[in-house]
Amino acid sequence: RINSNPDVKFVAVVRDPKDFRMAYFKHIDRLYERERSGSTMRPAFSSRFTIDDFATVPVPFCHGFEGGTTYEQNIVDWVIDSRSRSNVYVIFYEDIIADTQREIKNLARFLEIKLTQEEVYKVVEHLSYAK
């Protein structure tokens, strides 16, 4: 727990709520279609739901959810709470994708790890989807 471990550093990777909702919609669509697997008895997921249907649906598998809390509010609470804690680093997934090198340097600084530019390049290469 963050409150009981002030000497432990925590890194929270979060997604932009709009991107999260889109990914969640696509994930549920894939699961539904895999389960449906060609059955004509069940209509296609896309004929029953749209991304707008997922705009406010509670997401029960997110850590820290309490009754009625949305993903968006959970993220806002995390970010606001973490600003007052020197042992918590919140990083957005979209920032990692946009500038991996910058975010690796920022994370290393937070973790008090000295990386050479060559080591940063190696980490970026290791994390690349192009591999």
Side-chain angles (χ1 to χ4, degrees), residues 78-108:
W78 252 97
V79 171
I80 288 172
D81 185 56
S82 70
R83 287 184 179 159
S84 65
R85 300 175 188 280
S86 62
N87 67 327
V88 178
Y89 182 71
V90 177
I91 184 170
F92 283 85
Y93 172 81
E94 292 77 15
D95 293 337
I96 297 169
I97 299 302
D99 193 342
T100 307
Q101 193 174 136
R102 179 192 66 216
E103 296 306 323
I104 294 300
K105 288 178 182 179
N106 289 342
L107 180 59

Side-chain angles (χ1 to χ4, degrees), residues 25-82:
F25 175 79
K26 289 178 179 179
H27 173 69
I28 298 298
D29 179 34
R30 281 190 299 271
L31 290 177
Y32 180 92
E33 292 304 324
R34 186 179 312 138
E35 184 71 25
R36 188 171 83 95
S37 65
S39 170
T40 57
M41 299 302 290
R42 291 173 69 185
F45 184 84
S46 59
S47 72
R48 299 183 69 194
F49 302 102
T50 69
I51 185 64
D52 293 334
D53 295 323
F54 282 66
T56 58
V57 68
V59 184
F61 57 79
C62 289
H63 175 73
F65 264 88
E66 297 175 17
T69 301
T70 65
Y71 175 80
E72 293 78 1
Q73 188 59 52
N74 196 27
I75 296 303
V76 168
D77 292 346
W78 252 97
V79 171
I80 288 172
D81 185 56
S82 70

